[in-house]
Amino acid sequence: ELKVEQNPLFLSMQEGKNYTIYCNYSTTSDRLYWYRQDPGKSLESLFVLLSNGAVKQEGRLMASLDTKARLSTLHITAAVHDLSATYFCAVDGGTYKYIFGTGTRLKVLA
Amino acid sequence: GAVVSQHPSWVICKSGTSVKIECRSLDFQATTMFWYRQFPKQSLMLMATSNEGSKATYEQGVEKDKFLINHASLTLSTLTVTSAHPEDSSFYICSARDVGGAGYEQYFGPGTRLTVT
């Protein structure tokens, strides 16, 4: 059974600081997705990672995928308050079913 | 492109009644749609996979007689929560897979918040 874990679960950081969120998964998969969720809202797609070594960047966020280590990272550079949200990774568990990570609730303090 | 809508966006119903939630792919065809449930401050849990023209596949622990799924067309799937109880109160999110695209990515709807009183 595919399990997806994220850490940390909660992250409180100062504006301007850097930090990394980790997403570990238990079985082989070549497709991993990152989403942002604001309170009371659905998911906003951030990144689609489709192969080993994939790296994508958008603004202050950068995501990478290491399929051999079964690990993806979401790196935040010079955080700003607007990045406060919950971030989820999701792994394609086969037959296009997504298994979501536990989520990381990020709070950026001004 | 790749827009998914849900209706209603929120609903309040009394215990024992049934409520239907619609999920539509607006600008693409979706042979497969997925239904997720999210409790407050928790992750999304996949409930079932809905396939156009065939029976839904439910995840372990999800009662298929309680959560009825119908996927009658390539753009519409419905989830009916039957005999709802307060513990069914949750945020229900659907997603759809675009058969015309690469096929692997799911596009998520805006969610439906169900409150059972």
Side-chain angles (χ1 to χ4, degrees):
Chain A
E1 180 189 345
L2 174 60
K3 291 190 188 305
V4 184
E5 293 185 349
Q6 285 180 237
N7 70 84
L9 297 182
F10 303 98
L11 177 55
S12 179
M13 56 191 297
Q14 297 286 336
E15 275 194 330
K17 298 292 187 183
N18 304 333
Y19 209 85
T20 300
I21 299 171
Y22 298 88
C23 173
N24 293 273
Y25 53 100
S26 60
T27 62
T28 302
S29 178
D30 289 337
R31 290 193 285 262
L32 190 139
Y33 308 85
W34 282 97
Y35 295 91
R36 168 183 172 142
Q37 187 178 39
D38 292 298
K41 305 289 187 183
S42 187
L43 303 180
E44 174 190 348
S45 178
L46 295 175
F47 299 108
V48 178
L49 303 171
L50 300 176
S51 61
N52 186 42
V55 178
K56 291 196 174 179
Q57 182 163 4
E58 181 72 37
R60 300 175 188 274
L61 301 178
M62 183 173 71
S64 66
L65 177 62
D66 182 341
T67 58
K68 294 178 182 175
R70 299 175 186 167
L71 170 69
S72 180
T73 61
L74 179 66
H75 186 73
I76 303 158
T77 301
V80 293
H81 180 71
D82 286 350
L83 290 178
S84 297
T86 299
Y87 293 85
F88 290 98
C89 63
V91 178
D92 188 329
T95 62
Y96 307 105
K97 286 166 53 171
Y98 288 9
I99 304 301
F100 278 83
T102 44
T104 296
R105 206 176 316 158
L106 171 65
K107 186 171 184 179
V108 181
L109 305 173
Chain B
V3 179
V4 176
S5 70
Q6 282 184 242
H7 177 80
S9 55
W10 59 270
V11 58
I12 301 172
C13 70
K14 292 191 174 181
S15 189
T17 62
S18 296
V19 61
K20 180 186 287 188
I21 302 169
E22 293 185 347
C23 176
R24 291 182 187 273
S25 57
L26 298 185
D27 50 3
F28 65 97
Q29 294 185 327
T31 54
T32 306
M33 291 183 172
F34 301 88
W35 288 95
Y36 296 85
R37 180 168 55 181
Q38 186 181 32
F39 292 110
K41 300 194 191 317
Q42 293 189 23
S43 186
L44 280 76
M45 296 297 294
L46 178 64
M47 299 175 66
T49 303
S50 169
N51 297 298
E52 187 265 338
S54 65
K55 290 184 178 180
T57 304
Y58 291 82
E59 295 299 305
Q60 194 171 7
V62 177
E63 300 175 61
K64 61 181 180 182
D65 294 331
K66 180 167 184 64
F67 298 99
L68 301 179
I69 292 172
N70 184 275
H71 193 157
S73 78
L74 285 172
T75 59
L76 173 64
S77 176
T78 60
L79 168 69
T80 301
V81 183
T82 62
S83 186
H85 291 284
E87 57 265 31
D88 298 322
S89 299
S90 187
F91 193 43
Y92 292 87
I93 303 174
C94 73
S95 69
R97 192 162 70 89
D98 182 359
V99 297
Y104 48 77
E105 190 168 359
Q106 294 181 26
Y107 300 97
F108 286 83
T112 296
R113 188 162 304 281
L114 170 63
T115 302
V116 185
T117 61

